[in-house]
Amino acid sequence: MFKTILQVAYRNAYLRKSRALLLILMIGLSMGVMVSIEGLYDGMSMNMIDRTKRSDSGEISLYANKYRLEHVIKYRISDADKKVLALQKITGVTEALYRLEVDGLAQTARKSKPSILLGIDLDDEKKFGKFEEFLKEGELDFGKNSAFIGGGLAKKLKVKIGSKVIFTAQDSQNEIKSIALRIRAIIRSSNINFDERALYIPRGEAARFLSVKQNSATQIALRTDETHTPTLQTTLQAKYPKLSVYTFAQLYPQLQQMQTMMDVFNTITFMIVMIVVFIGILGVMYVSILDRIREFGILLSIGYAYRYIRYQIMIEALLLGLAGYFLGLFVGLLILSYLTYQGLDLTLFAEGMEAFGMSSVIYASIKSSYFISTLFAIIIASLLSVVLPLRKIKKLNPVEVIRSAG
Amino acid sequence: MIQLKGVNKYFYQGEPREVHALRDIDLTIEKGEFSVISGTSGCGKTTLLNAIGVLDSISDGEIILDGKEIANLSAEAKTEIRLHEIGFVFQAYNLVPVLTAEENIGLIMRMQGFDDAQISQRVREIATLLQIDDKLDSLPNLLSGGQQQRVAVARAVASKPKIILADEPTANLDSSNSKALMNMMQTLNEKEGVTILFASHDNYVVESVRRIIRLDDGALVT
């Protein structure tokens, strides 16, 4: 019997070809656009999170106790090189490095801005976060007394490649010291903290400038396998009680919040599209059932059980919904593939986007969850859309239908 | 085989516009009968047929099919009775438009759980008898009115029900098709032993049957 029900449902679903095609197109296109928006939103937030991890925190960062509160060089990590070596051996840690950072004032002949001096090891940074990808202008080569500068800070100070900047800060002995630096590169990491404030110099030079040992650090950052992060935090905190261990989410709660907001946007978009799908299928099924009300009355009168009609209608709605889903899957994959590899170029709005820490080219992400959740939602929307039409059939009096048919 | 005892049917019971459609009907339909309920338009023929087919409820009385009272069963049980015990032929054919003639004829057997081979064999047997075996692959909209009605008869008879109730089956047919249909139904009655009860005021139907049950204003005329 199921074969017959399926046969009847299939033929009825596509009996009115233009109506069915319109509905399938509507579902397919709206789903395609919806998953593309989801992918772009996710891509945007994931890109920001990824760049922030690569340019700063990693998945986990360690600081000397009190450093995060006081932000003074007095609270620094000693023997950072040995600690990094030890940390690299821990399961789940994929990369580790240390940095030396100090707050101070950057100035040119005309302007001055509060900024930070960041002592880095270029090779370590390249391994840790593909630092070379952040280069906007100039070359990644520290010569003598040279520095890289964050794009935002360069703009504020109106400096270019080759310009000179004086950085002044208090060293570990509380002496006010200055260093003259020639700009070799402009960096755009999409991490506002650094783009708007940072001057990068070699870590050794930073140590000499601050009168601290070469293996001193203010931060040790780790790239970890995400699944290990929570347990690693606990393990490291126990192993290094004199250090404070933070996860990315603790260091950048606003980015986590942004991702939650993107999820909310995605959920709203998803719900709107599913309501459209629901109304679309409901409309088509309702009209189709009204067209065939006599047929159902006759079927009921010859002994066709109501449950068979229910299955038939549900299958009809599912066939339409699923056809739309597969079209949407194709359209969505097509758009997302393009946006994943080519990205959405918003160079026109680059300044505004970079001010928010976003790259001007947004790359989408593709997650199977977009398609799985949509599949379930379309199945549910299809099944819900037939509740009302089925109630109409349930109330049907076959005798009246036969009488009107005669 | 089918017994009606003191059957009454009221429409709008208790309201000023109350209609007493069936009045104290006592009737027995024996196995193998080829009968018609006849009478003027509005006398209650279809109402009586629908009551026998448990399509419509009755106000009081009993309808007994093979010793079992069927008028007061639940809706689901009545659906089962209609599926397994009774075949229907309607004035307007009422075939499923998306199924071929063959699928329409086999529909009730499929609902009853017969397998493909049994259905196919029976469908071909009945289609040959009703001379529509060359139309089995056609959809209803490609068949003439007479052919559609024969498919409807084949559908009703294929599952070998205890009784076939045919409500004005010739009303939409021209005289030659009416004659052909009645001849075929007579053949079915004789060859298959199917009990057939018509409701009709068509003279040709009335003249073709062996028993005429006359109704006047809802009451049997003796």
Side-chain angles (χ1 to χ4, degrees), chain B residues 30-101:
Chain B
E30 296 294 345
K31 191 176 179 201
E33 269 198 29
F34 191 63
S35 313
V36 66
I37 304 166
S38 178
T40 54
S41 184
C43 71
K45 301 185 293 289
T46 299
T47 306
L48 181 57
L49 208 68
N50 287 343
I52 295 170
V54 287
L55 267 172
D56 210 351
S57 59
I58 55 173
S59 304
D60 69 88
E62 287 181 334
I63 300 172
I64 299 158
L65 174 67
D66 283 349
K68 188 183 168 193
E69 208 290 316
I70 58 170
N72 296 309
L73 296 173
S74 66
E76 286 75 20
K78 282 180 179 174
T79 303
E80 284 295 301
I81 295 277
R82 290 201 296 273
L83 176 61
H84 292 280
E85 317 283 2
I86 302 165
F88 292 91
V89 178
F90 303 103
Q91 182 179 333
Y93 330 133
N94 295 319
L95 302 173
V96 180
V98 294
L99 294 181
T100 62

Side-chain angles (χ1 to χ4, degrees), chain A residues 46-241:
Chain A
M46 281 165 66
N47 180 264
M48 283 174 77
I49 289 169
D50 175 61
R51 283 179 160 248
T52 305
K53 284 179 179 174
R54 282 162 51 200
S55 61
D56 182 19
S57 66
E59 277 73 28
I60 288 179
S61 275
L62 296 88
Y63 300 89
N65 285 336
K66 290 192 182 173
Y67 177 78
R68 294 268 304 154
L69 282 175
E70 308 277 338
H71 232 256
V72 289
I73 196 72
K74 186 168 80 174
Y75 303 113
R76 61 185 180 271
I77 303 168
S78 56
D79 297 327
D81 53 348
K82 286 178 191 160
K83 288 188 174 81
V84 163
L85 279 174
L87 285 163
Q88 278 171 336
K89 289 175 187 158
I90 294 175
T91 315
V93 175
T94 53
E95 289 295 338
L97 56 64
Y98 63 100
R99 300 184 183 111
L100 191 58
E101 182 186 325
V102 67
D103 288 337
L105 191 72
Q107 52 201 312
T108 61
R110 292 178 184 171
K111 287 191 175 275
S112 63
K113 289 285 167 194
S115 57
I116 54 171
L117 187 72
L118 203 58
I120 59 167
D121 181 285
L122 202 51
D123 290 336
D124 286 354
E125 294 290 347
K126 284 178 181 174
K127 275 192 277 176
F128 186 85
K130 297 181 187 162
F131 194 79
E132 64 277 15
E133 288 181 4
F134 302 149
L135 176 68
K136 194 184 176 192
E137 213 180 316
E139 54 179 319
L140 284 184
D141 180 24
F142 284 127
K144 192 169 166 49
N145 287 336
S146 61
F148 308 153
I149 188 168
L153 182 60
K155 204 169 179 183
K156 285 179 197 165
L157 293 175
K158 295 191 173 169
V159 297
K160 296 174 184 170
I161 303 296
S163 300
K164 235 176 177 181
V165 173
I166 308 291
F167 182 81
T168 308
Q170 206 169 15
D171 73 2
S172 60
Q173 309 302 312
N174 294 328
E175 295 292 332
I176 301 291
K177 288 172 83 173
S178 293
I179 184 171
L181 302 162
R182 194 169 293 281
I183 301 303
R184 295 289 295 263
I186 295 176
I187 301 300
R188 271 285 182 199
S189 64
S190 297
N191 181 339
I192 307 173
N193 276 350
F194 294 157
D195 288 351
E196 299 292 313
R197 297 175 66 214
L199 277 164
Y200 301 84
I201 62 168
R203 198 171 53 209
E205 264 183 52
R208 269 194 300 280
F209 174 65
L210 294 170
S211 309
V212 295
K213 283 186 186 169
Q214 286 290 314
N215 57 2
S216 299
T218 50
Q219 176 197 21
I220 294 175
L222 308 177
R223 296 308 311 259
T224 66
D225 177 352
E226 295 264 10
T227 52
H228 286 89
T229 307
T231 47
L232 261 177
Q233 186 188 21
T234 319
T235 313
L236 295 177
Q237 193 61 79
K239 191 172 177 185
Y240 301 106

Side-chain angles (χ1 to χ4, degrees), chain A residues 301-317:
Chain A
S301 67
I302 62 170
Y304 202 80
Y306 171 73
R307 69 175 181 280
Y308 293 149
I309 291 176
R310 189 172 59 214
Y311 298 151
Q312 184 186 314
I313 302 291
M314 284 161 81
I315 293 169
E316 277 180 41

Side-chain angles (χ1 to χ4, degrees), chain A residues 249-269:
Chain A
Q250 290 167 319
L251 292 167
Y252 287 95
Q254 73 277 18
L255 283 183
Q256 284 295 105
Q257 228 170 10
M258 189 194 73
Q259 196 165 28
T260 311
M261 264 175 60
M262 292 294 185
D263 288 344
V264 171
F265 283 145
N266 279 343
T267 309
I268 292 169
T269 314

